[in-house]
Amino acid sequence: MTALTIPQIAERLQLHVDTVYRLAKAGRLPVVKVGGSYRAHPEMIERLLRGEWQPSQARKVGRPRKPTLTLEEVQGQELHEPGATRGFPSFSSAWRPLAGATPARG
């Protein structure tokens, strides 16, 4: 028994290699990272195809991610102080008409 590589997994799942990489990185496939490459046990891929494996069964290895806020948690919150320009001048204060120019009339 040899572990399957991403191109072999893509062939079995009938997906593009880039899609399989993206799914593997997101923890949606039963793969492990060995060195710099992903590998999967053939039986785990067969279980996935039969619908016997769910992504929630995947064990995440590595540095934990920062918690992600949901849209409901963010709505209504000020992301920065009202009126703050984060070090950039506002458009109205940075704009100055050219000397001698008259405003356009529309």
Side-chain angles (χ1 to χ4, degrees), residues 4 6 9 20 23-25 27-33 38-41 44-45 53 58-59:
L4 299 174
I6 291 290
I9 296 168
V20 175
L23 292 171
K25 188 175 181 179
R28 309 283 298 165
L29 291 176
V31 296
V32 293
K33 197 161 189 181
Y38 291 100
R39 299 281 192 246
H41 191 282
M44 292 303 292
I45 298 301
W53 185 87
R59 189 179 71 151

Side-chain angles (χ1 to χ4, degrees), residues 52-97:
E52 298 171 1
W53 185 87
Q54 297 299 319
S56 61
Q57 295 171 320
R59 189 179 71 151
K60 292 290 240 173
V61 178
R63 184 174 49 139
R65 291 184 155 195
K66 294 179 182 176
T68 303
L69 296 175
T70 64
L71 182 59
E72 291 79 22
E73 292 171 327
V74 173
Q75 285 178 335
Q77 292 183 3
E78 290 290 333
L79 298 180
H80 60 278
E81 292 179 25
T85 59
R86 298 183 190 188
F88 295 101
S90 66
F91 179 77
S92 60
S93 67
W95 182 81
R96 289 184 180 78

